[in-house]
Amino acid sequence: MAGAIIENMSTKKLVIVGVILLLFQAFSFMVGGLIAPSPTTAVHYLATKCVDQVKHHQSTKWFMPWGPNQCKKIRDFDEATDKKIEANNIVFAVHIPLPNKEMSPWFQFMLVILQFDIAFKMYNQIEDGALATIDVGLAYRDDTLSEWTEMAHSVEQRKLSCNFTTTKTYENEGRYYECDLLPFMELGNVAHKYYLLNIRLPVKERKKINMGIGEIKDIRLVGIHQNGGFTKVWFAMKTFLTPSILIIMVWYWRRITLMTRPPVLLEKVIFALGLCMTFINIPVEWFSVGFNWTWMLLFGDIRQGIFYAMLLSFWIIFCGEHLMDQMERNHFSVYWKQVGPIVFGSFCLFIFDMCERGVQLKNPFYSIWASDVGTELAMAFIIVAGICACLYFLFLCFMVFQVFRNISGKRSSLPAMSKARRLHYEGLIFRFKFLMLVTLTCAAMTVIFFIISQVNEGHWHWGDYTVQVNSAFFTGIYGMWNLYVFAIMFLYAPSHKRYGDEQSSGAILCEASENLPGLCG
């Protein structure tokens, strides 16, 4: 690509641009670390055991664990046995949120995790591969006086994975198994103030339903939702970044259209990268505060997938367009072997997401991990995508090595050039290398900050300030990739400068590379 700003900008101006971008990068980390609260909150719930006194269960009846219309409760199953209450008449009720609190659309989503408290009994042990059948209903209302409205109802199965750490003897009866957490429910929007879960564990001996699952004492739930304060900071950041990228994108394409030649492949790919960044930036989430859009989580995943697929494709084409290997490369068809695995891996992840969150649009209790077939299918998609990612990474490293080797080899032709041309060519090579190293640095920072956010306790104390590390990771990395795309479009926009009798430094590069058509377009 001839005549780009990065080729003609002085080192002083390039340093100034770099410093400004670094300041914005530091600010994006500070926004998350010092202004925004933690991204999510986890709330623990203990299900209340209610008694359904009606012989034939009414699906329209809802059992409240507390309040003026609370259900008839029992403390434990020993009391149920004494009162001759059957297991099929016990309803586990959970009200979300806790008393005197309200849910809010600013919470964006709600993920609920299930855990059984199962006591060990010699005569009622957990069998291998035991399945818990759960009859669950979800209702909502927006004030404390109105009736509950059913939102979803389903009969689900969850495979128990429990371990008893001590010896199975009569002396250890009453001790609890250590059971894995189970995925239970996911809502893509929190449009209502109050939610009510009614959970039944129906027992049918003839059909072997809920047999061999041990003696369940309690059901515990963990509700996870996004913090409203973080949501507001996140929305504000997207609202600010959207016009920034949109303006530089319009400016970039206008400079390209002013050229007498048609745009080359790299210029088209950079513009496509800007479009994808704009697509992911557009703050449509503002509408989710006022509308019950349950598909926002799936839509967000699709937007991220499109951007990262475009980013990975850009890196391949960016390196290929600077290989200087006497090959015509200014066509997308040249890169189909490299871009193909990216598209295939992205498609596998899309299918996996549709199998999970796509189904959850109709049934929030569905989980692809709940069955053996679903687990194997999900793992197959993830493994294939992982293989594609590894192949991509190895090939990208190989291409970067080739670019560095070929550019270094071209230094042998520098002594034959005039002093001005040689100095400009040396600066050109340095800037190509520098931009590639910045790309690798951005990728490395993403991985490093992700690891830090996973292993730390969530926040650091810095003097009188509390730094939210997880929030800083989200806002910082999001800001970093926006600045990266901004810098790419700015530095690789066509320059209007001229150097002597040459049209641009791109002409110098073509001459030094024996007029490679792949480089000059």
Side-chain angles (χ1 to χ4, degrees):
M1 182 176 63
I5 289 178
I6 189 174
E7 302 171 15
N8 301 320
M9 180 181 285
S10 66
T11 302
K12 180 180 179 181
K13 291 181 179 178
L14 188 62
V15 170
I16 292 175
V17 171
V19 170
I20 293 174
L21 293 176
L22 284 175
L23 290 176
F24 275 105
Q25 178 63 75
F27 178 73
S28 65
F29 276 109
M30 291 173 63
V31 166
L34 301 178
I35 299 177
S38 177
T40 59
T41 294
V43 183
H44 295 262
Y45 301 93
L46 176 63
T48 300
K49 303 176 197 61
C50 296
V51 178
D52 187 357
Q53 297 174 310
V54 181
K55 185 175 182 180
H56 300 287
H57 304 152
Q58 300 178 14
S59 59
T60 57
K61 184 178 180 180
W62 296 95
F63 296 85
M64 266 287 291
W66 43 263
N69 297 317
Q70 61 183 278
C71 63
K72 181 182 178 181
K73 294 177 283 188
I74 57 174
R75 294 187 305 274
D76 51 42
F77 285 93
D78 292 334
E79 181 181 346
T81 303
D82 294 339
K83 294 182 178 180
K84 298 182 179 180
I85 300 173
E86 297 181 358
N88 289 328
N89 291 330
I90 296 177
V91 180
F92 295 86
V94 177
H95 185 280
I96 300 175
L98 295 172
N100 301 320
K101 294 184 180 296
E102 293 181 356
M103 301 299 284
S104 168
W106 291 102
F107 294 165
Q108 290 295 288
F109 69 89
M110 181 165 56
L111 176 67
V112 180
I113 306 298
L114 170 70
Q115 184 176 31
F116 289 112
D117 285 349
I118 304 177
F120 170 73
K121 292 290 183 182
M122 288 293 292
Y123 67 87
N124 188 13
Q125 299 184 28
I126 299 178
E127 298 177 356
D128 292 337
L131 287 175
T133 300
I134 305 169
D135 185 342
V136 56
L138 173 67
Y140 69 87
R141 66 183 182 185
D142 291 309
D143 59 72
T144 57
L145 300 178
S146 61
E147 296 293 325
W148 291 100
T149 303
E150 182 176 295
M151 185 174 181
H153 181 269
S154 180
V155 177
E156 298 291 331
Q157 287 186 329
R158 296 292 186 266
K159 187 175 182 179
L160 299 180
S161 179
C162 299
N163 183 34
F164 195 65
T165 56
T166 58
T167 55
K168 295 181 178 180
T169 61
Y170 284 101
E171 289 76 14
N172 290 323
E173 282 193 341
R175 291 177 178 268
Y176 286 89
Y177 287 89
E178 292 183 359
C179 296
D180 292 344
L181 299 174
L182 301 173
F184 185 60
M185 183 185 76
E186 185 172 24
L187 294 178
N189 193 20
V190 188
H192 306 285
K193 295 181 179 179
Y194 308 105
Y195 293 88
L196 180 64
L197 283 166
N198 279 184
I199 304 170
R200 298 176 186 267
L201 300 175
V203 177
K204 297 180 180 179
E205 295 184 12
R206 290 184 179 180
K207 296 183 178 180
K208 300 292 184 181
I209 295 178
N210 283 334
M211 303 299 295
I213 61 173
E215 188 173 296
I216 296 177
K217 292 292 188 180
D218 282 303
I219 292 180
R220 299 179 185 274
L221 301 179
V222 180
I224 302 171
H225 60 78
Q226 188 165 294
N227 275 327
F230 178 82
T231 302
K232 294 174 182 178
V233 171
W234 186 256
F235 286 8
M237 193 170 183
K238 290 172 75 75
T239 304
F240 170 76
L241 289 173
T242 298
S244 303
I245 297 297
L246 189 61
I247 290 171
I248 190 68
M249 186 175 64
V250 172
W251 173 84
Y252 170 81
W253 192 249
R254 182 177 177 275
R255 291 182 76 102
I256 290 177
T257 55
L258 292 176
M259 304 289 289
T260 56
R261 57 167 176 79
V264 297
L265 176 62
L266 188 56
E267 290 170 338
K268 295 176 183 178
V269 172
I270 291 174
F271 182 72
L273 183 64
L275 282 175
C276 292
M277 191 77 256
T278 303
F279 181 54
I280 201 175
N281 280 342
I282 297 174
V284 294
E285 291 86 352
W286 282 110
F287 294 101
S288 67
V289 178
F291 299 94
N292 186 15
W293 288 356
T294 57
W295 44 266
M296 284 303 299
L297 284 179
L298 179 62
F299 183 62
D301 289 344
I302 293 173
R303 288 199 297 176
Q304 289 187 29
I306 292 174
F307 169 72
Y308 284 118
M310 189 66 242
L311 182 66
L312 297 178
S313 302
F314 163 73
W315 286 341
I316 288 289
I317 295 173
F318 174 79
C319 292
E321 291 298 290
H322 295 93
L323 278 175
M324 295 184 292
D325 56 357
Q326 303 286 355
M327 180 179 177
E328 172 63 46
R329 290 183 175 274
N330 191 29
H331 299 286
F332 187 77
S333 59
V334 177
Y335 298 96
W336 72 268
K337 291 182 180 179
Q338 294 83 14
V339 177
I342 299 173
V343 176
F344 183 72
S346 301
F347 180 74
C348 288
L349 292 178
F350 171 73
I351 295 298
F352 167 73
D353 212 33
M354 288 299 296
C355 291
E356 177 85 337
R357 285 183 170 164
V359 179
Q360 286 173 348
L361 295 178
K362 292 293 185 181
N363 178 16
F365 303 105
Y366 173 81
S367 174
I368 195 173
W369 305 98
S371 64
D372 292 336
V373 175
T375 300
E376 292 175 0
L377 184 65
M379 288 302 299
F381 282 126
I382 293 174
I383 289 172
V384 170
I387 292 173
C388 291
C390 292
L391 293 175
Y392 169 84
F393 180 75
L394 292 175
F395 191 80
L396 180 64
C397 290
F398 175 70
M399 291 190 71
V400 171
F401 169 75
Q402 281 187 309
V403 171
F404 282 175
R405 184 189 62 184
N406 291 351
I407 287 180
S408 298
K410 296 302 177 183
R411 289 182 180 275
S412 59
S413 61
L414 292 179
M417 300 179 184
S418 64
K419 182 178 180 181
R421 188 178 301 178
R422 183 176 71 252
L423 291 175
H424 190 71
Y425 193 13
E426 289 175 346
L428 182 64
I429 293 175
F430 165 75
R431 287 167 182 144
F432 282 147
K433 288 186 175 183
F434 176 76
L435 193 58
M436 289 185 188
L437 291 176
V438 168
T439 299
L440 294 176
T441 301
C442 289
M445 285 181 64
T446 302
V447 175
I448 290 171
F449 274 92
F450 175 76
I451 294 173
I452 291 175
S453 68
Q454 296 299 307
V455 301
N456 80 93
E457 61 181 6
H459 59 271
W460 292 341
H461 293 288
W462 183 27
D464 296 332
Y465 297 96
T466 299
V467 180
Q468 295 291 340
V469 179
N470 292 337
S471 297
F473 165 75
F474 282 110
T475 60
I477 297 303
Y478 176 61
M480 182 187 72
W481 288 117
N482 271 274
L483 291 172
Y484 177 83
V485 173
F486 185 96
I488 290 292
M489 286 193 289
F490 174 74
L491 295 175
Y492 274 83
S495 174
H496 294 160
K497 283 187 177 181
R498 296 291 182 265
Y499 286 83
D501 59 349
E502 300 290 351
Q503 288 187 342
S504 70
S505 60
I508 299 174
L509 186 55
C510 290
E511 179 184 321
S513 305
E514 301 176 357
N515 292 320
L516 297 180
L519 187 64
C520 303

